Amino acid sequence: MHIRRSAHSLSPDEWQQIGRVLAQMHDSGDIDRFARAHQALFESVHGSTTFFPFHRKFVQEFEDIGRTFDPEFTVPYWDSTRDYRSPESSPILRGTTLGGNGQGSNRCLRDGIQGSWTMGFPGDHCLRRAFNNGNSILPWVPAELISSYIQSDRFISRFRENIEYGIHGAVHLGLGGDAATRFAPNDFFFFMHHANIDRLWWLWQNTHNMLDYNGPGTNGEASLSDVIPQNNDVSFGGARAASVMVLGYNSVCFAYDSAPGPPAQYPGTGNTPNRLINNIEPSALAFSGASDPAGFGLEIMRMRRAFTEDSSLKEYFPGVAAIGPAREIDTDLEKNFDECTCKERKAKKLLYPAPMSEMWISMHGFDAQRVGQIHRDACLLVDKLNNSTYVSPY
């Protein structure tokens, strides 16, 4: 069982080792192959529930190829909510990690573990990076919105919309360049980002029906018997959606350092309570999209405080609302809240996430009105939290 760790926790030596594996995959043509496959399969793996199982399998296949060069290779996840306020300042975008903004008229990436690379697909070109606000990046999605989606979205179809039309697109567009194209796997950020998207899906699965699979699929209504889209470049051997639904079972041999581990038994099916479906009690660990334990603790405590003055917030955070009053809260966190000044409250107001661009919506064939509504709903929740006593720890 491999454990995917937060990219924020990696040491310089670990980043260098990842860089060495990527260089070998680049020389072997594997990165070109994944970029080519993603472009070819693009329409069938976006805008539907297929989005989740395809990318879970796609990232795992990339890891498996990487392990032919280094048996310990594991894709770290990039929890972008930790950097959402000013993404360009993230430690993940430094010269010793993924590198920063592209340079020159072609926006070529010059630093980082893929710095000065020439990509082979589609056609020879430098790996490009072009931040979507000049030398800065427009705000991404705050952890509190992700926490709300995890807790309040009862069905995977709604959760997929909130994730795909929100945090998924925001990070792709924020980095720009190759990252904002159909061949985004050229940039290793893609795999780190989708490892995080997968982590969020797993958190949602641990809060609801782990085997829930509804909404639009590849061909009509989504079904667990659907074959995950594949082609000759990246083949999954005819794997079906059902085979990747539960971490720790079948060939899905990985877990996350900031999420519940695999269940002791394979989940059941049917419209039964969550604890019977998943064979586990819903864990508070799954109530937040944040990977920072200290921030998560503050988020829960401060949200519960906000409930006392605005009970309507509970419908957005039903998991936190269900935590019993006897739950212990660390005294240091309590002190931090009580000593919070008005100045700090203003500094920690949540920011609106950037909307999806018309180009991005068109490239995916999304319903522009639906994408717009998802963004408006997100901004309304930001307003609701900012107008309450809640103070974001992020």
Side-chain angles (χ1 to χ4, degrees), residues 301-312:
M301 187 207 61
R302 293 177 178 182
M303 195 66 70
R304 287 170 57 79
R305 285 291 188 89
F307 290 166
T308 63
E309 298 187 19
D310 184 356
S311 61
S312 68

Side-chain angles (χ1 to χ4, degrees), residues 98 188 258 267 275 293 296 327:
L98 288 187
F188 183 58
S258 61
R275 65 180 183 279
F296 165 56
R327 181 179 176 85

Side-chain angles (χ1 to χ4, degrees), residues 19-312:
R20 285 191 287 269
V21 173
L22 294 181
Q24 291 173 291
M25 294 180 73
H26 180 48
D27 292 344
S28 67
D30 287 312
I31 292 180
D32 289 346
R33 185 162 57 83
F34 275 83
R36 187 165 56 242
H38 190 263
Q39 173 161 293
L41 298 169
F42 196 82
E43 286 83 2
S44 60
V45 300
H46 294 93
S48 71
T49 307
T50 311
F51 173 78
F52 284 125
F54 170 80
H55 287 94
R56 176 170 284 178
K57 191 69 174 174
F58 196 71
V59 175
Q60 186 181 13
E61 183 69 15
F62 186 86
E63 281 182 325
D64 289 344
I65 298 299
R67 289 191 188 117
T68 64
F69 299 102
D70 177 358
E72 299 304 315
F73 177 72
T74 301
V75 173
Y77 65 88
W78 183 2
D79 175 9
S80 57
T81 67
R82 296 181 67 163
D83 305 310
Y84 95 97
R85 291 180 180 272
S86 53
E88 69 282 352
S89 300
S90 169
I92 309 303
L93 295 177
R94 293 177 182 165
T96 55
T97 52
L98 288 187
N101 206 1
Q103 304 298 315
S105 59
N106 290 329
R107 313 304 297 170
C108 297
L109 184 65
R110 297 301 185 195
D111 60 354
I113 56 177
Q114 289 182 281
S116 299
W117 277 23
T118 296
M119 311 310 298
F121 183 82
D124 289 351
H125 69 282
C126 68
L127 179 59
R128 295 186 291 262
R129 190 83 61 71
F131 292 172
N132 67 348
N133 195 35
N135 287 320
S136 63
I137 298 175
L138 296 174
W140 289 341
V141 178
E144 289 86 352
L145 265 62
I146 303 300
S147 300
S148 176
Y149 303 153
I150 289 171
Q151 295 175 50
S152 64
D153 289 347
R154 295 181 56 203
F155 300 104
I156 190 175
S157 53
R158 179 56 189 267
F159 182 67
R160 192 273 308 168
E161 286 186 318
N162 279 324
I163 294 298
E164 189 173 9
Y165 302 160
I167 190 173
H168 169 254
V171 179
H172 274 276
L173 286 167
L175 296 183
D178 280 26
T181 68
R182 297 178 177 219
F183 46 91
N186 275 341
D187 191 327
F188 183 58
F189 108 91
F190 173 95
F191 296 96
M192 295 169 56
H193 180 42
H194 276 280
N196 188 54
I197 297 298
D198 185 71
R199 182 182 69 94
L200 299 180
W201 179 30
W202 179 242
L203 291 171
W204 181 89
Q205 288 182 286
N206 275 269
T207 309
H208 302 277
N209 181 343
M210 198 171 282
L211 298 181
D212 181 59
Y213 197 70
N214 62 73
T218 306
N219 296 296
E221 183 71 14
S223 168
L224 288 173
S225 64
D226 289 345
V227 175
I228 301 172
Q230 59 184 310
N231 67 8
N232 291 334
D233 280 314
V234 178
S235 174
F236 305 139
R240 299 181 184 275
S243 69
V244 299
M245 294 296 290
V246 184
L247 303 193
Y249 289 84
N250 298 314
S251 62
V252 190
C253 299
F254 63 85
Y256 293 97
D257 66 357
S258 61
Q265 302 175 44
Y266 197 83
T269 57
N271 296 318
T272 53
N274 180 80
R275 65 180 183 279
L276 299 179
I277 292 171
N278 296 346
N279 296 313
I280 57 172
E281 288 289 343
S283 168
L285 183 62
F287 289 163
S288 173
S291 61
D292 172 23
F296 165 56
L298 279 167
E299 178 187 337
I300 286 185
M301 187 207 61
R302 293 177 178 182
M303 195 66 70
R304 287 170 57 79
R305 285 291 188 89
F307 290 166
T308 63
E309 298 187 19
D310 184 356
S311 61
S312 68

